[in-house]
Amino acid sequence: MSWQNFLFDFFTYGLLIYSLLLLACYVFIGIYSIGETRQYMYKNSFTDYRQLASASQAPGMSIIAPAYNEGANIIENVRSLLSIYYANLEVIIINDGSRDDTLSKLIQAYDLYPTKHFINTQIETKPVRGVYKSRSKMYKKLLVVDKENGGKADALNVGINIAQKDYIVCIDVDCILEQDALLKLAKPFLENSKKRVIATGGVIRIANDCVIEGGRLVQVRLPRKFLPRVQTLEYIRAFLLGRMAWSRLNGLLLISGAFGAFDKEIAMKCGGYDHHTVGEDMELVVRMRRYMEELNLPYKVGFIPDPLCWTEAPDSFKILGRQRNRWTRGTIETLKMHKVMFLNYRYGILGMLSYPYWFLFEFLAPLIEFFGFIIFFLFAVLGLTNWRFFFGLLGAVFGFGFLYSVFAILMEIRTYNQYKKPKDIFKLVLTAFLEPFIFHPFVVWSAIRGNIDLIRKKNAWGEMTRQGFSKPTS
């Protein structure tokens, strides 16, 4: 056997085995998520959230929302946060050294004035320049903190230091929350008595082209542009299937930075958010879990499948590329910082299942796919390609991906059914068909660039330009 044939067989069967393992994981995740979703919806049907909304014994929640150059949306976003149905609540907006009119807009809209406010600085941060409260009793829950720019992690740590409640809810300030979002997010902290719930997250949905009035979502609409629409499909898959299954296993490694609640005591004991990584949301969850595992304390990281939070998705390849580049770097940094857990039985599900999955199928998958196409091209030039096998494998992978997306759409229809028009369902199915040819290759390339930027030690966050929410005319 020549070395060319050996390399060809090694590459071919290696790729086949990896693909089969990946598809098997997706099948398991899809099936396993069904039971968790059914159980949650059944239990939730008996819950009276009106009692929890007005209950004085409801767990105290401190919403922490960092804002950097968010002038386009800031007033409407803060109005949305202040209108949430929850009694024991404070809303903390962290102006992270914005260079636009974010702070001035807040001062004018909410009649803010500077006040002396005690900050329990247990986590070191950039200096705080001022703390503002409103003169109006309508906005007594609002606290605005102005600080020197230090990045999202540093801003969140300021919020943790200043928060007065037992639980912190970290969100992106550009998000629009459902009115009962905190009621549902607080429920896992009240239900689980045997295990300490250290974090819980909710479903993130895409708000592009939705009707937003007075900081509230009044009408759900499927995005008209392809990029936001394909991200809508991607989020349905990731949240309704992926995170529900991992939550059922108690192996969830990620609570979205856009909307998640954390036990403040555990977060502070772990040192808060790490500003050395651009994936601070995932890293904190992993560090909190590692802390509980090493102390042998029973705990749970939960997940709520209700659509709780709506956010503006990138609608250009330039902004999307920056986002996915950063996600890749954040994932790699987190895995590197906690590599001691890899296949380490001491960490249970976390070390034996969750970490290996993220390493093999989140970190390595784009690299294997990218270099696989390069090697395939070389084999084609050398005349070593088995075209029948190649097209068979390619068709099987694309076909499975399409069917998996259709399954996610069906799960959406059978559960929360946010997109009720038949034409919207048709558009989602068409998007699922087009995704492997347009969206997926770009995401893979963005991940490759993320790896390259990490090697070159480029730690830039990447500016996320917002269009701002507007009212569609039709």
Side-chain angles (χ1 to χ4, degrees), residues 28-45:
F28 172 78
I29 286 172
I31 294 174
Y32 203 62
S33 66
I34 297 174
E36 182 73 359
T37 304
R38 283 180 173 175
Q39 183 180 13
Y40 174 83
M41 295 186 73
Y42 175 76
K43 289 171 60 178
N44 204 45
S45 65

Side-chain angles (χ1 to χ4, degrees), residues 8 18 43 53 57 81 118 137 185 188 195 228 256-257 279 287 291 312 338 380 387 401 421 435 454 458 469:
F8 174 77
Y18 181 86
K43 289 171 60 178
Q57 66 269 28
L81 297 179
F118 174 72
K137 292 183 179 180
L185 204 64
K195 294 181 178 180
S256 175
R287 185 152 29 95
Y291 172 85
E312 182 183 354
H338 300 282
W387 293 102
K421 297 178 181 178
E435 180 185 9
L454 191 66
K458 291 182 64 175
F469 296 118

Side-chain angles (χ1 to χ4, degrees), residues 16 122 214 218 282 286 339 353 397 407-408:
L16 178 62
Q122 295 193 38
V218 297
M282 178 181 179
V286 175
K339 59 182 181 291
L353 192 60
V397 171
F407 173 69

Side-chain angles (χ1 to χ4, degrees), residues 328-390:
T328 297
R329 286 181 284 130
T331 297
I332 299 171
E333 288 167 347
T334 299
L335 293 175
K336 184 178 179 181
M337 292 165 70
H338 300 282
K339 59 182 181 291
V340 68
M341 297 190 301
F342 184 52
L343 293 177
N344 189 334
Y345 68 90
R346 180 185 177 187
Y347 294 95
I349 291 290
L350 186 63
M352 299 303 293
L353 192 60
S354 301
Y355 189 108
Y357 175 87
W358 273 84
F359 179 82
L360 292 172
F361 302 124
E362 296 291 340
F363 162 52
L364 287 184
L367 296 174
I368 291 174
E369 186 172 346
F370 179 76
F371 288 107
F373 272 104
I374 293 177
I375 294 173
F376 161 74
F377 178 77
L378 293 176
F379 282 163
V381 171
L382 295 173
L384 297 175
T385 303
N386 183 332
W387 293 102
R388 184 176 179 181
F389 175 84
F390 170 77

Side-chain angles (χ1 to χ4, degrees), residues 219-370:
Q219 185 179 356
V220 175
R221 292 186 177 182
L222 187 69
R224 288 174 289 187
K225 292 184 178 180
F226 175 77
L227 274 185
R229 190 166 64 248
V230 74
Q231 289 171 82
T232 298
L233 175 61
E234 181 188 34
Y235 279 37
I236 291 173
R237 277 200 313 264
F239 287 99
L240 269 187
L241 301 185
R243 296 193 188 179
M244 283 303 292
W246 284 111
S247 176
R248 186 178 182 184
L249 287 166
N250 196 19
L252 198 59
L253 283 189
L254 176 63
I255 296 294
S256 175
F259 185 52
F262 302 88
D263 186 313
K264 188 180 74 171
E265 181 185 359
I266 302 299
M268 294 192 82
K269 285 182 178 179
C270 291
Y273 287 89
D274 192 327
H275 62 271
H276 294 105
T277 174
V278 294
E280 72 289 325
D281 45 2
M282 178 181 179
E283 197 282 326
L284 178 61
V285 175
V286 175
R287 185 152 29 95
M288 290 174 69
R289 294 196 62 148
R290 182 176 172 183
Y291 172 85
M292 299 297 283
E293 292 282 358
E294 290 176 350
L295 293 180
N296 199 28
L297 299 172
Y299 73 98
K300 169 79 175 175
V301 175
F303 181 74
I304 302 298
D306 296 85
L308 302 181
C309 177
W310 296 79
T311 188
E312 182 183 354
D315 63 356
S316 72
F317 282 104
K318 182 179 180 180
I319 304 301
L320 178 66
R322 290 174 184 170
Q323 182 195 64
R324 300 313 166 97
N325 181 316
R326 185 180 74 251
W327 287 4
T328 297
R329 286 181 284 130
T331 297
I332 299 171
E333 288 167 347
T334 299
L335 293 175
K336 184 178 179 181
M337 292 165 70
H338 300 282
K339 59 182 181 291
V340 68
M341 297 190 301
F342 184 52
L343 293 177
N344 189 334
Y345 68 90
R346 180 185 177 187
Y347 294 95
I349 291 290
L350 186 63
M352 299 303 293
L353 192 60
S354 301
Y355 189 108
Y357 175 87
W358 273 84
F359 179 82
L360 292 172
F361 302 124
E362 296 291 340
F363 162 52
L364 287 184
L367 296 174
I368 291 174
E369 186 172 346
F370 179 76

